[in-house]
Amino acid sequence: MASTLLSIQVIPKTPNGENSYPYVDHAIEVIQQSGLKYQVNPLDTTMEGELEELLEVVRKMHEVLVEAGSPSIISQIKIAHSPTGLSMDTLTEKYR
């Protein structure tokens, strides 16, 4: 079982004030390619894994957004960590 959950909302600035959704799609592609368990939500995406690998995904997301032309990015991140294990399913099972 993974030890960390990380939820991230990326808010990329766009070069000409255009819609940021295509940029967010690039960031989500990085998560999809990571092989980690994840869930896309309306306002953020939650990933499950080890802290080091999750932070590496965040770094890659920022790199991809800069490569796509974003002049700056704000990310809001929430991290839940438990050395004994933590999962999205165990935290939400009573609501499903």
Side-chain angles (χ1 to χ4, degrees), residues 11-76:
I11 307 166
K13 186 173 182 180
T14 58
N16 301 305
E18 65 268 25
N19 190 316
S20 64
Y21 289 160
Y23 290 82
V24 173
D25 288 342
H26 288 307
I28 292 172
E29 286 174 12
V30 171
I31 295 170
Q32 291 170 328
Q33 294 169 1
S34 74
L36 296 170
K37 183 175 180 179
Y38 69 94
Q39 179 175 314
V40 177
N41 303 302
L43 299 176
D44 65 8
T45 299
T46 301
M47 299 178 279
E48 190 175 288
E50 299 306 318
L51 182 59
E52 297 79 15
E53 65 187 343
L54 295 169
L55 293 174
E56 178 65 15
V57 172
V58 171
R59 185 189 65 75
K60 288 178 182 177
M61 291 169 71
H62 278 247
E63 285 181 357
V64 163
L65 291 171
V66 169
E67 290 169 7
S70 179
S72 66
I73 303 109
I74 295 172
S75 288
Q76 295 187 33

Side-chain angles (χ1 to χ4, degrees), residues 73-88:
I73 303 109
I74 295 172
S75 288
Q76 295 187 33
I77 298 172
K78 291 186 244 179
I79 297 173
H81 177 79
S82 174
T84 59
L86 194 60
S87 75
M88 290 183 274

